Amino acid sequence: MPPWNPITGHLLCLAPLLSRFPKDIIQNYLLMELSKDFSKTDNLLYLDLWPFSMPMIVVTSPDLSIQACQQHDLTKPAALKYFLEPFSGGEDLFTMNGLEWKRSRAMFAPGFNANYLLGQMGHILEETSVFVEILREHARKGDMFSLDRLTCDFTMDIIGAVCLNSHLNSQRQFNPLASAMRSQIAWHLRADEMNLFKRWNPAQPLIMWKNSRTMNNYIGKELDKRFIERQGGEKDTSSRSIIDLVLDNYMTENSSLDMAHGLDQSFKKWAQVQIRLMIFAGHDSTASTICYSYYLLSKHPNALAQIRAEHNEVFGTHLKTVSAQLLENPQLINKLSYTNAVLKETLRLFPRQTLYVVENQE
Ligand code: HEM
């Protein structure tokens, strides 16, 4: 660990580090830089930043991460709930522990399956063609725009299509669900927010409550719609969304329930929370990965040339045919091994963190 002080803990060691970076630097990056300075041999760093956060162990090695995330059933910390609840609206896959997590995770497992995702290629291509169109429009105009904003809308639209089977269209126009989630993120207070105008702004809880209601109403209507369609014997399994998988499971497990009165309210609430989590957890992570990979490719023209060469080899040089090829044979995407390596390298250089509580350390 860095030098520790009984009163200030490790807070003082952050000062020289912070001075090297922009004020709004993402916390993950700071922790990684700090661990480079202090945990050269074992990739474990103990950090006591009380009262700004709970004391934590920062893990930066893949082996130790696997121990923390997979081999031991570690409890997730309460701080995670404070952070996630405004987005998901309740106990979600991220914050659940033990058996409750296992049960919920099992319901979503088919949705994380690689073959299932390849089956969603139609949805993904549709949203991607809008994204590419917008990029082209910007390129023609030569204007300045926020790539982060655009990629967030893009990934939000993909998740809307894959999870809800619903076209959010947020890349082109206003969508209540996407807009409420983005507003929720903008209004969410960090635990260490020092600006008192932000911390005590009376509008903040009202806006967040309204956003939450908007998201629940939107997802609730989609759930009811899909439930009615399924009761009507809808057989089309080609475009099954994650909502459908969850409803399948619910209807099989509760075949004895009287479904005539619609969805059970507690199930509906549970599903709203999990879908809100998917939208939150899935959009920004994927969007920032796209941004960082474009950034890295712009800095490494050789890698960009190799990606282009790989795409030409797999798809040929006629751009207009790529969508049709992928639709017909989604497995083609698995041939892009260099592109995959670039994405993995991007995530290695700009990683995301996971939080667990290590109990009974003695
Ligand atoms: C580049 C993209 C992504 C990155 C880097 C990423 C990263 C992560 C990480 C580090 C975790 C914690 C894993 C653990 O605790 O063991 C996680 C969990 C999760 N992610 Fe992602 N994620 C990405 C995309 C997505 C997408 C697209 C979705 C959904 C649409 C999603 C939904 C979730 C959910 C629901 C969990 C909780 C799973 C559980 O605890 O059972 N993520 N993600």
Side-chain angles (χ1 to χ4, degrees):
M1 66 178 187
W4 185 79
N5 177 298
I7 297 168
T8 54
H10 289 129
L11 283 175
L12 294 183
C13 74
L14 282 188
L17 188 68
L18 283 169
S19 66
R20 286 177 12 216
F21 296 104
K23 275 203 183 76
D24 57 351
I25 182 168
I26 189 164
Q27 196 190 40
N28 309 12
Y29 198 81
L30 267 189
L31 294 178
M32 194 173 74
E33 285 298 308
L34 198 66
S35 71
K36 273 188 205 157
D37 293 345
F38 290 103
S39 68
K40 291 196 173 75
T41 49
D42 51 10
N43 300 312
L44 263 188
L45 177 78
Y46 175 71
L47 212 52
D48 171 10
L49 301 180
W50 192 87
F52 293 100
S53 87
M54 60 192 171
M56 62 180 108
I57 290 178
V58 179
V59 175
T60 54
S61 93
D63 286 348
L64 295 175
S65 301
I66 286 172
Q67 281 193 38
C69 298
Q70 293 170 17
Q71 289 172 353
H72 301 288
D73 191 10
L74 301 179
T75 317
K76 289 142 185 179
L80 205 53
K81 202 165 173 191
Y82 167 84
F83 172 70
L84 278 167
E85 194 157 318
F87 308 125
S88 67
E91 193 76 60
D92 58 55
L93 270 177
F94 245 106
T95 53
M96 280 174 194
N97 286 299
L99 277 180
E100 195 190 6
W101 171 78
K102 263 197 180 140
R103 207 181 142 264
S104 297
R105 185 68 170 79
M107 281 209 212
F108 282 97
F112 284 98
N113 176 295
N115 276 337
Y116 169 78
L117 287 170
L118 285 181
Q120 297 289 321
M121 190 59 88
H123 281 321
I124 295 170
L125 287 172
E126 215 171 309
E127 305 303 342
T128 307
S129 66
V130 179
F131 177 64
V132 172
E133 231 173 70
I134 296 176
L135 284 179
R136 288 216 171 99
E137 284 165 17
H138 283 300
R140 270 195 293 272
K141 281 191 257 169
D143 61 351
M144 176 115 57
F145 66 99
S146 161
L147 187 61
D148 178 58
R149 183 66 223 250
L150 178 58
T151 49
C152 276
D153 290 342
F154 168 46
T155 51
M156 191 89 84
D157 283 356
I158 292 187
I159 295 168
V162 172
C163 287
L164 295 168
N165 207 357
S166 158
H167 281 291
L168 306 188
N169 242 330
S170 71
Q171 295 186 84
R172 284 287 187 201
Q173 63 195 47
F174 171 83
N175 173 273
L177 176 63
S179 156
M181 180 58 87
R182 297 301 298 165
S183 161
Q184 200 76 335
I185 294 169
W187 280 92
H188 186 40
L189 287 176
R190 289 166 54 128
D192 59 352
E193 179 60 65
M194 293 292 191
N195 183 334
L196 296 184
F197 289 107
K198 274 192 185 168
R199 188 160 273 290
W200 292 337
N201 185 340
Q204 191 253 6
L206 290 175
I207 292 176
M208 293 188 81
W209 172 81
K210 190 164 173 286
N211 287 337
S212 193
R213 231 172 88 101
T214 308
M215 290 190 270
N216 284 344
N217 284 344
Y218 195 101
I219 297 169
K221 277 189 196 141
E222 291 294 332
L223 276 166
D224 289 337
K225 199 167 91 192
R226 299 301 293 159
F227 180 65
I228 291 167
E229 279 166 7
R230 305 194 75 67
Q231 277 195 316
E234 189 232 36
K235 293 276 186 301
D236 178 17
T237 52
S238 59
S239 62
R240 301 272 293 271
S241 65
I242 295 202
I243 262 196
D244 292 316
L245 297 176
V246 174
L247 281 173
D248 276 351
N249 199 305
Y250 168 74
M251 290 169 91
T252 317
E253 277 195 359
N254 299 284
S255 51
S256 58
L257 274 184
D258 177 11
M259 303 274 180
H261 299 296
L263 273 177
D264 169 60
Q265 286 307 305
S266 61
F267 168 78
K268 195 169 168 181
K269 168 81 192 141
W270 173 89
Q272 279 164 332
V273 167
Q274 310 315 325
I275 302 276
R276 276 173 62 171
L277 172 74
M278 296 281 163
I279 294 166
F280 171 70
H283 88 281
D284 193 61
S285 48
T286 318
S288 59
T289 308
I290 298 173
C291 289
Y292 282 128
S293 57
Y294 286 176
Y295 166 74
L296 287 172
L297 286 171
S298 77
K299 297 276 169 206
H300 298 277
N302 286 345
L304 181 60
Q306 277 199 64
I307 280 210
R308 286 189 165 138
E310 182 177 77
H311 288 208
N312 286 345
E313 198 187 312
V314 174
F315 300 116
T317 48
H318 295 291
L319 279 180
K320 286 203 170 108
T321 65
V322 177
S323 267
Q325 290 185 56
L326 274 170
L327 206 53
E328 197 181 314
N329 182 8
Q331 270 78 8
L332 274 179
I333 204 108
N334 294 333
K335 292 195 171 171
L336 302 176
S337 46
Y338 186 79
T339 310
N340 195 20
V342 166
L343 289 171
K344 287 186 174 172
E345 181 65 353
T346 304
L347 283 166
R348 188 183 71 81
L349 293 169
F350 296 98
R352 287 165 56 82
Q353 73 191 13
T354 310
L355 298 175
Y356 287 90
V357 174
V358 182
E359 284 176 324
N360 304 327
Q361 298 249 0
E362 64 275 20

